[in-house]
Amino acid sequence: MDLTAGGARVASVARSERTGLVPAGTVLAGSVISLVGLTWDIQWHGDVGPDTFFTLPHLFLYSGSAISGLASLVIVLMTTAARRAGREVDARVGGRAINVFGKVFAAPAGYLVTGTGAAMFLLYGLWDQWWHGLYGFDAVIDSPPHIGLLLSITLSIIGTVMVFAAAREHRWGTLGVVGSLGVLIAFSTVTVLGLQQIDVDLVDVISVGIALLSVLLVSAGAGFWRRPGGAVRVAAALAVIQAITWWFSPWAAEAYASAVGLPMRDYIDGVPAMPAMMPMALLPIAAVLEAVYLLSRRGWSTGRVSVLAGGIGGFLIGASMPIQNVFVYGMARVDWPLVIVTAAVGGVFGLLGGFAGWRFGGMLRLLAPAKGDDAHA
């Protein structure tokens, strides 16, 4: 046994833990701040209305992307300096370094994606400022610059998932993947509002979009974890986020309105807008998916099992979302034809989500250096 090599590896892992946790936690904090700003801003528009480019919820959105972007830039510059100085670059810190603009910069994969999303957010923010100056206040959230802003933050959160996945040898790395996937599901429930431009009878296209992305991301958690509990952990992270924002959104909107002297609207229904779009039944549905994944231990192909689980998950989420809306918003009755058709379409898209999600989880695992590797690019 090579004790020298073993000791060097232990020292390398310890060093990566010290140098990787702070920037990873910083980009995750930026993602969470952006999520807080979004849920606050949506509630503000519904309960109060008037705003400017520099409202407090908007500043949360901007600062979240700025924090993630600046942290990514610092890591890219540090990695570039280390590469030029001939020093070893630890692949556990954000993933293996990728050459950018030839060999001008060396950027760890996760931080490259996060930083790119933050840079795109800046460009779409300028477009949004021009849009508001030309058209005034937006009546809807799914304006072109808003969709661009939401997709930019989504890309940054995907990069955050990658950053933690590269550090899966550490407990904080695996926990960070679960937490950031939960943030990504929560954020995606607003991004799918762009689908409401598709007018299809008897199908709730928003619920189908939520079903697809929810299945994809809990399947990614299962594919990354590769043992029982991955999907449930991601769903539990979403449940915690939903519970906190359910309380926070209405409170923050009312408190801020009172602070700036604006009245609340008379017709407020008391429902937290963004948390109400998050699938409440995802945790038990994820448990069903975990049971389906056990079929792979009976000799079934893992790929086929992931597709089957995705189809079942998509069907259940597609069925649950219209029913959830009835109970949350106090509607008179359940539109069962809508539920059945939405469930069927959700099941079809869930097949794709299960297929892609499991493989996305496997790709996340590949970001970390193999055990026994020297972890250096």
Side-chain angles (χ1 to χ4, degrees):
M1 180 177 180
D2 190 345
L3 296 178
T4 303
R9 173 170 172 74
V10 170
S12 174
V13 172
R15 185 169 59 252
S16 74
E17 183 167 14
R18 292 193 301 270
T19 58
L21 178 57
V22 172
T26 303
V27 294
L28 178 58
S31 299
V32 171
I33 290 172
S34 293
L35 177 63
V36 169
L38 181 62
T39 186
W40 187 358
D41 187 51
I42 292 174
Q43 198 69 36
W44 174 266
H45 279 279
D47 290 358
V48 184
D51 69 353
T52 66
F53 192 75
F54 296 103
T55 60
L56 197 54
H58 284 179
L59 292 178
F60 265 68
L61 274 168
Y62 311 148
S63 61
S65 288
I67 289 170
S68 296
L70 290 174
S72 299
L73 178 61
V74 168
I75 293 298
V76 169
L77 294 178
M78 291 177 62
T79 303
T80 301
R83 173 73 66 84
R84 290 181 177 178
R87 297 195 299 272
E88 296 174 332
V89 177
D90 195 338
R92 299 184 192 90
V93 181
R96 294 188 180 279
I98 298 172
N99 292 326
V100 181
F101 301 129
K103 292 187 177 181
V104 176
F105 296 103
Y111 290 106
L112 176 61
V113 174
T114 299
T116 299
M120 290 172 56
F121 182 89
L122 174 61
L123 296 176
Y124 279 114
L126 296 174
W127 184 19
D128 188 47
Q129 176 74 323
W130 172 85
W131 185 274
H132 281 283
L134 187 62
Y135 297 109
F137 295 124
D138 285 327
V140 295
I141 193 174
D142 56 336
S143 66
H146 283 178
I147 293 298
L149 288 168
L150 294 174
L151 291 175
S152 299
I153 299 176
T154 299
L155 184 62
S156 287
I157 302 173
I158 291 173
T160 303
V161 177
M162 296 171 63
V163 166
F164 282 101
R168 67 182 175 90
E169 287 190 11
H170 308 302
R171 182 173 177 80
W172 60 262
T174 55
L175 293 176
V177 170
V178 169
S180 51
L181 283 174
V183 172
L184 189 54
I185 296 176
F187 208 92
S188 68
T189 58
V190 178
T191 308
V192 298
L193 289 178
L195 298 175
Q196 64 189 357
Q197 301 298 328
I198 303 174
D199 187 11
V200 181
D201 293 335
L202 284 181
V203 179
D204 184 345
V205 294
I206 301 299
S207 295
V208 171
I210 291 173
L212 169 62
L213 293 177
S214 298
V215 166
L216 188 151
L217 294 172
V218 296
S219 299
F224 172 78
W225 207 268
R226 291 295 169 95
R227 59 181 185 269
V232 168
R233 284 177 170 85
V234 174
L238 177 69
V240 171
I241 292 169
Q242 187 176 36
I244 294 173
T245 54
W246 193 279
W247 161 80
F248 172 80
S249 303
W251 171 83
E254 184 174 1
Y256 185 41
S258 176
V260 298
L262 289 175
M264 304 291 286
R265 287 175 170 166
D266 295 333
Y267 54 83
I268 295 174
D269 56 16
V271 177
M274 184 174 169
M277 292 187 285
M278 302 176 193
M280 296 179 177
L282 187 59
L283 189 54
I285 291 172
V288 173
L289 266 61
E290 295 281 6
V292 177
Y293 291 139
L294 294 177
L295 293 174
S296 62
R297 298 191 174 188
R298 296 176 175 269
W300 288 43
S301 165
T302 303
R304 293 180 180 179
V305 170
S306 66
V307 173
L308 174 62
I312 294 173
F315 179 88
L316 294 175
I317 297 172
S320 68
M321 287 303 298
I323 297 174
Q324 172 180 314
N325 292 335
V326 169
F327 285 99
V328 168
Y329 292 100
M331 299 177 184
R333 62 183 181 83
V334 177
D335 187 345
W336 289 110
L338 176 68
V339 171
I340 294 170
V341 177
T342 301
V345 177
V348 172
F349 279 91
L351 296 172
L352 174 61
F355 174 84
W358 184 270
R359 284 152 184 80
F360 180 47
M363 292 167 62
L364 290 174
R365 292 180 64 85
L366 294 176
L367 288 167
K371 290 187 177 181
D373 192 355
D374 62 5
H376 301 128

